[in-house]
Amino acid sequence: QVQLVESGGGLVQAGGSLRLSCAASGRTFSSYNMGWFRQAPGKEREFVAAINWSGGNTYYADSVKGRFTISRDNAKNTMYLQMNSLKPEDTAVYYCAGRRVIESIVVQTTVSAYNYWGQGTQVTVSS
């Protein structure tokens, strides 16, 4: 089992950057595929980016491709989301999620595929 804690959210102007972190407890972080999701007020939680257990495979939603970069440091039990060229429509609560796997290159892009979730961190982009 893993516990996830996000940090790094905040208020930024359009065009600015933020880096989110997701710290995982336990010694098995490298056994988890990880993902970032976001949820804006009144909307469903949506997929942002995913990374497999080794960091060798990543996948992005079209809306963030070229602007966001997902990465992980298994030695530090931490996943990151570097967000550049932020837009007001990126405003949401951002959640990290984990799914235990056995060395899978396949990443998951749906909410239901993940078993573990953080509490979320607010990102607000002003115009």
Side-chain angles (χ1 to χ4, degrees):
Q1 195 166 357
V2 65
Q3 292 184 326
L4 305 173
V5 179
E6 302 95 336
S7 62
L11 173 64
V12 64
Q13 288 188 333
S17 299
L18 282 174
R19 189 175 82 154
L20 305 184
S21 298
C22 174
S25 65
R27 293 177 289 179
T28 60
F29 179 65
S30 59
S31 298
Y32 288 79
N33 281 3
M34 300 295 295
W36 286 100
F37 290 77
R38 66 187 181 187
Q39 188 167 18
K43 295 188 176 181
E44 293 188 352
R45 194 168 297 190
E46 66 174 5
F47 169 75
V48 174
I51 189 167
N52 79 319
W53 65 276
S54 68
N57 190 29
T58 59
Y59 190 79
Y60 298 89
D62 287 344
S63 59
V64 306
K65 199 173 297 182
R67 301 188 297 122
F68 291 10
T69 302
I70 190 172
S71 62
R72 66 189 296 163
D73 185 337
N74 286 346
K76 295 183 178 180
N77 282 10
T78 304
M79 175 180 66
Y80 305 97
L81 185 68
Q82 178 66 45
M83 305 186 295
N84 298 329
S85 302
L86 282 162
K87 304 175 181 179
E89 51 263 44
D90 294 319
T91 295
V93 177
Y94 283 70
Y95 298 89
C96 67
R99 173 190 174 96
R100 185 106 187 229
V101 295
I102 302 177
E103 299 187 357
S104 172
I105 194 172
V106 176
V107 297
Q108 291 74 36
T109 63
T110 61
V111 170
S112 61
Y114 290 88
N115 310 106
Y116 302 97
W117 292 85
Q119 83 290 348
T121 185
Q122 176 71 46
V123 171
T124 303
V125 184
S126 63
S127 57

